[in-house]
Amino acid sequence: MKLKRIKICVIGTGYVGLVVGTCLAEIGHQVICFDNNKEKIKKLQNNIMPIYEPGLDKLVIKNKQAGRLSFFTEIKQGVENSDVIFVAVHTPTQKSGETDLSYVESVSKEIAKTMNSYKVIVSKSTMPVETGKKIKEIIKAYSSQNVDFDVVSNPEFLKEGTAVKDFLYPERIVIGLESSKAEKIMRQIYCPIKAPIIVTNIETAEMIKHASNAFLATKISFINAIANICERVGADVEEIAQAMGLDQRIGRSFLKAGIGFGGSCLSKDVDAFVHIFAKNGYNFKLLKTIRQINQVQKENFVKKVKDKLQNLKGKNLAILGLAFKPNTDDMRNAPSIDIINMLIKQGAIIKAYDPIAKESAKQVFKHKITYCSNIYETVQNADALIILTEWDEFKDMDLKKIKKLLKSSKIIDGRNIFNPKKMRKLGFNYSCIGRN
Ligand code: NAD
């Protein structure tokens, strides 16, 4: 299929919207990105990235210069000048576990009011099953001009840290829709991307995203549970994961023991899925347990630190890594938040370093911790070194220098970045997850 340039508006220019909009421009479409956060748009208009995502800055600038990508704070401009509207606003969960759809609803109303011709409205945000129906009802109810439209669910599977690559070279593209007109347009949009396209009804596409994230969370909690036993019986969780992963029915990815999953998606999507099941009369006990294992994993890690130091009161702890995973500045639901708060509650004094997430971490921890600008400044005179994110920079640190700087030789590694035997040979009192 030959590329037909489609005029696209992306509403919500966050971690997903900015990557999606930029990459759609990169593959040849005409893209307008809109966000109601004026500061964010102003930064993008001035070529300043509001988030850290490797490779994204270059693509934004390149596509702006090519005239394919622009940023606006007026939704009217975006909707009127586009044929397809991608909705990528956030969909947080409320305390009850129910998804807060207020951002989606308010955007749907705004689209309805400004729609002046046939539009395809695409849900990029992760939305509970049956949200497509709701969007359709809202748009029908609020549409001021009687124009035709289609609603499509096109869940996003990108991972922060590798988002550009994930979008441009995806493993699959899922499109849920109910008209052949919308299908033709969606296929035109994605025609430069080589990946299997799975076309389903809207509800199935919505469920695919939920089921995928729930399964990924399950893999993480499963291996974390295994890790807890390994430590007691003298087995090695890394070797177990490697051997299990060679079985194609299982696969290696996400079988990584650590301090539990975090980030803006897995926790919230598991909560939302549990809620959806309950609403539909099914008690999905497995998912509730997955969530519980994840919480206990963080508590067990704090206990491990405490056991190592006997007492946390007044102890100086050097924390390496704050972001929920490497190569991002995203602190949403990062395991570091619960862990550091628990350590502080027990009297520990925290110095921390993260290569990228310092500014976002400041909004979370405020003055509760000291922010350092490199590994060695963090570690100096600390009673123990604690690793919470597996940044490459930490894997390459000068361990001899670390040994000299630390007050004791204690390292508690929540991400298994070193080999325990080698660390002991180097004279460290080293503990990690699921390995002895
Ligand atoms: P985000 O908070 O980074 O971005 C959301 C953006 O929407 C913000 O910039 C916000 O200002 C904007 N917004 C909110 N209301 C608006 C309105 N009325 N008009 C215009 N803009 C508005 O969130 P995110 O991480 O990009 O996630 C967006 C969605 O994508 C969520 O549903 C999430 O679950 C899903 N998702 C996220 C990821 C990920 O890795 N972050 C991956 C796949 C799917």
Side-chain angles (χ1 to χ4, degrees), residues 354-386:
D354 187 286
I356 294 288
K358 184 173 172 179
E359 290 312 313
S360 12
K362 278 184 182 170
Q363 290 169 29
V364 176
F365 298 113
K366 311 263 182 323
H367 299 297
K368 285 198 278 187
I369 67 174
T370 305
Y371 305 90
C372 298
S373 41
N374 63 56
I375 298 174
Y376 307 102
E377 182 194 336
T378 320
V379 163
Q380 187 147 30
N381 280 326
D383 291 295
L385 163 58
I386 295 166

Side-chain angles (χ1 to χ4, degrees), residues 19-210:
V19 172
V20 168
T22 307
C23 291
L24 288 172
E26 174 67 13
I27 60 173
H29 300 296
Q30 191 66 44
V31 181
I32 295 178
C33 287
F34 160 76
D35 202 288
N36 62 358
N37 180 332
K38 291 199 167 100
E39 207 182 307
K40 205 174 254 192
I41 293 298
K42 202 170 171 196
K43 277 187 178 170
L44 286 160
Q45 285 168 338
N46 292 316
N47 292 339
I48 301 165
M49 293 304 115
I51 55 162
Y52 175 79
E53 184 58 49
L56 186 61
D57 49 353
K58 284 196 187 92
L59 279 194
V60 169
I61 294 166
K62 177 185 159 195
N63 284 284
K64 273 177 73 181
Q65 282 170 351
R68 288 190 297 261
L69 180 65
S70 49
F71 297 95
F72 290 97
T73 49
E74 286 303 318
I75 192 166
K76 201 169 180 295
Q77 213 150 357
V79 173
E80 283 185 352
N81 292 308
S82 309
D83 299 316
V84 180
I85 298 152
F86 280 77
V87 177
V89 297
H90 44 311
T91 48
T93 36
Q94 305 170 67
K95 270 204 178 122
S96 61
E98 190 175 2
T99 303
D100 174 1
L101 285 175
S102 58
Y103 303 94
V104 174
E105 285 165 8
S106 98
V107 163
S108 306
K109 285 179 195 165
E110 288 190 67
I111 294 171
K113 285 180 199 156
T114 37
M115 249 170 36
N116 55 343
S117 58
Y118 171 79
K119 309 280 174 198
V120 179
I121 296 133
V122 183
S123 307
K124 251 300 163 203
S125 304
T126 304
M127 302 183 187
V129 62
E130 296 189 303
T131 306
K133 271 186 207 146
K134 264 189 207 154
I135 295 177
K136 205 170 158 183
E137 280 164 21
I138 293 174
I139 294 183
K140 263 192 192 155
Y142 286 84
S143 178
S144 50
Q145 306 171 44
N146 196 18
V147 289
D148 195 14
F149 68 94
D150 268 304
V151 168
V152 167
S153 168
N154 173 216
E156 185 47 57
F157 299 97
L158 62 76
K159 303 176 287 298
E160 287 173 25
T162 52
V164 171
K165 183 178 138 279
D166 293 342
F167 188 89
L168 293 174
Y169 306 95
E171 280 154 346
R172 80 298 208 189
I173 294 165
V174 174
I175 306 175
L177 39 73
E178 33 185 36
S179 92
S180 51
K181 190 174 177 185
E183 180 174 349
K184 193 172 166 212
I185 295 172
M186 292 306 291
R187 285 192 184 273
Q188 277 167 343
I189 290 177
Y190 284 112
C191 91
I193 293 182
K194 284 190 181 62
I197 295 186
I198 294 146
V199 177
T200 66
N201 68 17
I202 295 176
E203 290 69 30
T204 306
E206 291 169 334
M207 281 293 281
I208 288 171
K209 176 65 187 174
H210 271 302

